[in-house]
Amino acid sequence: MGNGRSRLGQHVCSQFLPEEQDEVDRLFDALSSEKRGSNTSPRSFSLKALKSHTGEALPPEMVTRLYDGMRRVDLTGQAKGPSESVSQEQFTVSMSHLLKGNSKEKSLMILKMISATDGPVKAREVHKFTEDLVGSVVHVLTHRQELRGWTQKKAPGPPSRVQVLAAQLFSEMKLADGKKVLGPQQLDCECDQAVIEDWVFRAHLVATFLSVVIHRGFFLHLSLDLATLVPERQVDQGQEFESILDILSVIYVNSHLPREQQHRWHLLFSSELHGHSFTQLCGRILHRGPCVMLLEDHDGHVFGGFASCSWEIKPQFQGDNRCFLFSISPSMAVHTCTGYNDHYMYLNQGQQTIPNGLGMGGQHDYFGLWVDVDFGRGHSKAKPTCTTYNSPQLSAQEDFRFEKMEVWAVGDTSRSQPAKSNKSILDVDPEAQALLEISGRSRYSEGFREAPDQE
């Protein structure tokens, strides 16, 4: 398991593989060879050296947090306070805990990055740390040009997307009594090591973000696969546009997708590019595999849903329990299925007795998320929550209007209709069938074709 190195001393055990430990040693050598002050020992480095090494890759506040966390590591259990600089042993243990450690080891380092004391910290201090961490991830990915086609878009007003995602991650933390921090009055509650450990275990993006900050901010030449964190953004040539999404909202939604669909998002439909047309929407999303849809209502609320299966026009509900609804603004949240019913996805048009439009969750005329065939109108009904996803009302108004809507295929999706299909266009377009019947014409192919497969 561990890789004890003679140059580190017998009491230090690293979790790095030999080649990884060589890279950590190389980084320490680079840091400790920087110009040192008179009070810095030859085998340690100062805050000035670390800031010089990271340059503009990380915000100064996060560099200071990381440095303070490292120099507060007590290898002997007898230290009376933080060391004046970071030794190689402290550096190796810190990197091992942050990059390879379990939830307990990571939580111990987080506490040292927050406070010089060994005891509990205030909830407000954890909240500030979370904001600094989320902001540092955006900063370093932007600096290293690893946004993969996405942008660092500013929210239309306060709070910022950094604050929104930080608030979501912080909301995952449970205090010692098992309750969450529900309001400002609880920000002075104490959070001990067990609380932080439980938080790191459940809010997995915290550990992921720490890894990104260290790998990219320290210019560490170790393997780090960003493909499942930041999906590749694909838009067909000549169709560039400003998406509703920014890098943090993409990271958040993407983290809840099945892993095999996390590496690529391909634009299928944008109301800005393809017009305010339900027909265009259907034509571009049918039989295209799993996809994420989202829209922004006139009040600035951004929300949507993940469809785990290809959309099809039919009067029955479709999809499976991997579907979910989500919100991005004014707050971030994901709402997964409850098991109460299987009303995951619904898409229909051209019918007179059942609703025409696209819906997710709930029931006819009372969907968790509904986009009407009269494009630009929809509803999100939940009193108190959607039966399928346990989601609250996602939009500002129960019946809302919207201008912007997007649908993204996720993962390796087919760009063509399924090859095996006996269906006429009339089978999949009830509106066309209705028009044909109104005109008094017959469907001459009826009776000459094999019956289409039952859905």
Side-chain angles (χ1 to χ4, degrees):
M1 292 292 292
N3 175 38
R5 302 284 295 220
S6 59
R7 64 182 286 189
L8 298 177
Q10 296 300 316
H11 58 284
V12 174
C13 185
S14 165
Q15 299 179 65
F16 293 113
L17 297 173
E19 59 270 22
E20 295 173 333
Q21 186 62 55
D22 288 341
E23 174 59 19
V24 172
D25 291 343
R26 180 204 64 78
L27 177 56
F28 177 80
D29 289 341
L31 291 169
S32 59
S33 67
E34 299 279 351
K35 185 176 181 181
R36 298 181 295 270
S38 58
N39 295 327
T40 307
S41 65
R43 298 307 302 163
S44 64
F45 63 86
S46 65
L47 176 59
K48 181 180 179 181
L50 186 58
K51 285 186 174 181
S52 175
H53 177 79
T54 57
E56 296 182 357
L58 288 175
E61 298 82 4
M62 181 52 67
V63 179
T64 300
R65 279 192 185 277
L66 288 163
Y67 179 80
D68 285 342
M70 292 175 184
R71 70 190 187 98
R72 290 167 182 161
V73 171
D74 182 4
L75 298 172
T76 64
Q78 300 175 353
K80 296 181 179 179
S83 58
E84 293 186 4
S85 56
V86 177
S87 69
Q88 184 167 19
E89 290 80 5
Q90 289 175 314
F91 181 68
T92 298
V93 169
S94 299
M95 296 288 279
S96 179
H97 283 2
L98 288 168
L99 299 181
K100 294 280 192 172
N102 55 31
S103 298
K104 180 178 180 179
E105 291 165 332
K106 285 182 169 68
S107 67
L108 290 171
M109 286 304 303
I110 289 173
L111 283 171
K112 294 181 187 301
M113 292 172 66
I114 292 174
S115 172
T117 63
D118 290 331
V121 296
K122 299 291 186 184
R124 68 174 66 256
E125 294 178 290
V126 181
H127 184 264
K128 182 62 170 69
F129 164 81
T130 311
E131 284 193 351
D132 288 350
L133 178 62
V134 175
S136 297
V137 169
V138 178
H139 184 107
V140 74
L141 291 177
T142 302
H143 179 81
R144 298 294 297 270
Q145 298 182 348
E146 292 187 274
L147 297 180
R148 306 195 76 196
W150 303 101
T151 60
Q152 182 187 349
K153 181 181 179 182
K154 291 185 178 181
S160 69
R161 288 284 166 85
V162 168
Q163 292 172 316
V164 170
L165 181 52
Q168 195 286 322
L169 295 177
F170 180 71
S171 72
E172 295 293 319
M173 187 175 68
K174 292 183 179 180
L175 300 173
D177 60 4
K179 297 180 180 179
K180 293 187 176 183
V181 181
L182 298 177
Q185 68 277 10
Q186 292 183 291
L187 288 176
D188 287 324
C189 293
E190 292 189 336
C191 304
D192 60 16
Q193 190 270 325
V195 169
I196 303 301
E197 179 182 346
D198 176 70
W199 178 54
V200 171
F201 178 78
R202 288 183 296 104
H204 64 94
L205 279 179
V206 173
T208 302
F209 285 174
L210 279 169
S211 181
V212 171
V213 165
I214 292 171
H215 275 89
R216 294 302 191 254
F218 285 7
F219 302 93
L220 195 61
H221 299 151
L222 293 178
S223 175
L224 176 65
D225 184 12
L226 288 177
T228 57
L229 178 70
V230 184
E232 178 188 1
R233 178 184 186 269
Q234 287 189 343
V235 177
D236 290 341
Q237 188 173 2
Q239 293 196 345
E240 283 301 326
F241 74 111
E242 184 178 356
S243 174
I244 305 170
L245 295 161
D246 70 314
I247 183 63
L248 287 180
S249 55
V250 170
I251 287 175
Y252 177 65
V253 174
N254 196 63
S255 70
H256 291 84
L257 300 181
R259 187 171 180 84
E260 64 271 17
Q261 274 132 29
Q262 291 181 338
H263 61 284
R264 181 179 298 111
W265 287 32
H266 182 94
L267 182 70
L268 297 181
F269 173 83
S270 162
S271 56
E272 180 180 328
L273 292 174
H274 306 117
H276 292 68
S277 165
F278 194 81
T279 301
Q280 278 286 338
L281 170 66
C282 291
R284 292 182 173 274
I285 69 173
L286 292 179
H287 308 295
R288 299 300 295 269
C291 60
V292 171
M293 76 160 183
L294 68 151
L295 47 87
E296 180 178 7
D297 70 18
H298 282 185
D299 294 288
H301 284 217
V302 179
F303 49 92
F306 167 61
S308 60
C309 307
S310 285
W311 286 101
E312 296 182 36
I313 294 178
K314 59 183 181 180
Q316 298 87 19
F317 284 95
Q318 50 195 296
D320 59 35
N321 61 10
R322 295 173 298 169
C323 297
F324 59 81
L325 294 178
F326 62 86
S327 61
I328 294 298
S329 179
S331 61
M332 290 189 185
V334 162
H335 309 284
T336 55
C337 69
T338 63
Y340 181 82
N341 58 40
D342 60 357
H343 298 177
Y344 308 114
M345 302 160 51
Y346 175 89
L347 178 61
N348 210 357
Q349 66 177 140
Q351 300 294 308
Q352 295 181 354
T353 58
I354 54 178
N356 296 308
L358 182 152
M360 294 188 69
Q363 60 191 34
H364 290 173
D365 300 320
Y366 205 91
F367 285 89
L369 173 56
W370 173 255
V371 175
D372 198 80
V373 70
D374 181 10
F375 197 84
R377 296 179 180 271
H379 72 241
S380 177
K381 298 185 178 182
K383 291 181 179 178
T385 58
C386 168
T387 55
T388 310
Y389 298 110
N390 199 35
S391 54
Q393 180 179 305
L394 302 175
S395 49
Q397 308 295 327
E398 188 176 80
D399 295 294
F400 61 84
R401 300 293 300 270
F402 68 92
E403 295 289 336
K404 298 179 180 179
M405 180 177 181
E406 299 171 15
V407 182
W408 298 80
V410 292
D412 293 321
T413 56
S414 172
R415 299 197 59 183
S416 60
Q417 299 285 339
K420 184 180 178 180
S421 178
N422 296 323
K423 293 185 177 182
S424 159
I425 185 63
L426 298 176
D427 293 319
V428 296
D429 191 346
E431 187 174 5
Q433 179 182 343
L435 289 172
L436 188 67
E437 293 173 352
I438 289 172
S439 68
R441 300 185 182 184
S442 302
R443 294 179 62 183
Y444 293 106
S445 61
E446 196 71 39
F448 292 94
R449 294 181 295 119
E450 294 182 5
D453 296 336
Q454 294 298 312
E455 302 295 349

